[in-house]
Amino acid sequence: MIRNQITLKQIEALVYVADLGTFRKAAAALGTTQPNVSVRIAAIEDTLGIILMHRDAGSVRLTQKGQEVLAAARRVLHSAETLLE
């Protein structure tokens, strides 16, 4: 059983922020607000106990661990899409 849960919405937010480069663009693409995306990313960081990205004046840079988690996040989303197919 998963001790601390990470949701697909949180994983999706991580991928969108990484791909689009800002929380604001990710929020627009996801049809939500920037604060909501920030909360989703913070929840993943809290659950994993690591910093995934550095936030600088509206832009983000993934940490080394963030890049590793992003690769796993992409696999999870791909698996979820496959399941739904």
Side-chain angles (χ1 to χ4, degrees):
M1 192 65 132
I2 298 174
R3 183 185 60 196
N4 292 314
Q5 294 184 9
I6 295 176
T7 68
L8 289 176
K9 285 188 178 238
Q10 292 167 340
I11 293 169
E12 185 179 50
L14 172 63
V15 171
Y16 271 76
V17 170
D19 288 350
L20 299 177
T22 70
F23 283 71
R24 186 175 307 274
K25 287 179 184 177
L30 292 168
T32 189
T33 64
Q34 179 272 324
N36 193 329
V37 171
S38 294
V39 167
R40 291 177 190 182
I41 302 297
I44 297 173
E45 291 177 324
D46 186 53
T47 297
L48 297 177
I50 58 174
I51 295 172
L52 297 174
M53 53 187 65
H54 299 291
R55 296 139 171 97
D56 297 314
S59 66
V60 296
R61 290 183 341 271
L62 290 173
T63 63
Q64 179 61 39
K65 285 289 187 186
Q67 292 174 9
E68 294 169 18
V69 171
L70 176 62
R74 290 187 193 282
R75 290 191 300 272
V76 168
L77 288 181
H78 178 73
S79 294
E81 289 171 358
T82 301
L83 174 70
L84 293 174
E85 289 173 359

